[in-house]
Amino acid sequence: MFFVISGFVIARVALQQDCRTFVFLRISRIYPIYWFYLGLTVGFFKFWQSHTFSTAELLPAILLVPSSSAPIVPVAWSLIYEVYFYAVVSLFIAARIELRSAYLAWAIITATIWIFDSSAFLGSVNTLEFIAGGLLSFFAGGWTDSKLLKLNCPRWIEALGDASYSIYLCHFLLIATLGRLLFSAGLTGWIITAVLSLVMANFAGLASYHWLEKPILRFARIVRNRWA
């Protein structure tokens, strides 16, 4: 569902932006705060496990490209797909290809690769979900917009939604650190660990959003306006 929603949103955005703007906004949205948490994660492994990552592990992690090793930041696996999606869509925009036709062709190519090798990165079901979200946006965007406008979410849900990327990035580190601290204090019950992890991950994500992510995005808008 995550990739379907992402595909829906990106398809709408792609119709409204030129290639340079699209690429700049996607890079500034994904990478800076991710690099911050990547650095914290590298430090976490160094401090708690005396583990140092090799250049072969760090470079793909920094660039968010596929690698034979597991991502250093566990949730980065989904970001690797997102970066791939953005790269393909940016090529469509740059080439001025009609997006609905491009998405349909992309779906056929991806499905064909999946049929012959379901483990291939380029033939992933995740990509098909992203494409499905985009096609939904193209063919039923007006209808879905009218339904979404009728939704009235409580303010706290909107706040968590705004901070969702920060929460997504920080929760692994927070839960891992909290688990170690609770274990050291002799508090090993899963209920207290789960409750504290849930509460603290959301609060940490909200703090990260307001004090780190928003300033980064604000600065990116300034740079973009001067660049335009």
Side-chain angles (χ1 to χ4, degrees):
M1 182 59 71
F2 168 79
F3 291 117
V4 174
I5 295 172
S6 175
F8 182 92
V9 172
I10 292 302
R12 303 307 298 273
V13 170
L15 292 171
Q16 303 166 10
Q17 296 175 350
D18 58 63
C19 184
R20 186 172 70 170
T21 300
F22 180 84
V23 171
F24 179 80
L25 292 179
R26 302 289 77 72
I27 289 176
S28 61
R29 180 75 178 91
I30 290 286
Y31 280 99
I33 189 171
Y34 162 74
W35 285 331
F36 174 80
Y37 283 105
L38 173 62
L40 289 183
T41 304
V42 170
F44 173 87
F45 279 102
K46 180 68 174 178
F47 179 78
W48 288 107
Q49 300 182 7
S50 299
H51 178 76
T52 302
F53 292 98
S54 66
T55 302
E57 293 172 305
L58 284 172
L59 189 57
I62 292 170
L63 298 177
L64 283 174
V65 296
S67 171
S68 57
S69 58
I72 295 174
V73 179
V75 299
W77 71 268
S78 62
L79 301 182
I80 292 171
Y81 278 103
E82 287 292 318
V83 169
Y84 164 61
F85 302 153
Y86 298 162
V88 174
V89 174
S90 67
L91 290 176
F92 292 158
I93 299 172
R96 299 183 179 180
I97 303 173
E98 199 275 323
L99 289 179
R100 281 186 290 188
S101 300
Y103 268 62
L104 287 170
W106 188 15
I108 293 170
I109 293 171
T110 303
T112 301
I113 296 173
W114 177 82
I115 290 171
F116 288 97
D117 184 3
S118 60
S119 64
F121 179 83
L122 296 180
S124 171
V125 172
N126 297 325
T127 303
L128 293 174
E129 291 178 1
F130 180 88
I131 296 170
L135 292 174
L136 176 64
S137 174
F138 296 139
F139 292 105
W143 181 84
T144 53
D145 284 349
S146 65
K147 296 298 181 182
L148 291 172
L149 288 173
K150 295 179 181 179
L151 296 176
N152 292 312
C153 296
R155 183 67 191 95
W156 65 272
I157 292 181
E158 292 183 7
L160 290 176
D162 291 339
S164 59
Y165 186 45
S166 280
I167 295 171
Y168 187 60
L169 288 175
C170 80
H171 80 275
F172 165 76
L173 268 180
L174 189 141
I175 293 173
T177 303
L178 180 63
R180 286 179 174 271
L181 293 175
L182 290 175
F183 182 80
S184 300
L187 301 173
T188 57
W190 70 269
I191 295 179
I192 187 172
T193 301
V195 171
L196 284 176
S197 296
L198 178 64
V199 173
M200 293 186 68
N202 282 297
F203 274 107
L206 287 167
S208 172
Y209 172 69
H210 287 287
W211 296 335
L212 183 63
E213 185 178 350
K214 282 182 71 175
I216 289 173
L217 296 176
R218 192 179 303 118
F219 177 74
R221 283 195 296 269
I222 294 172
V223 172
R224 177 200 165 203
N225 291 336
R226 290 181 177 177
W227 182 25

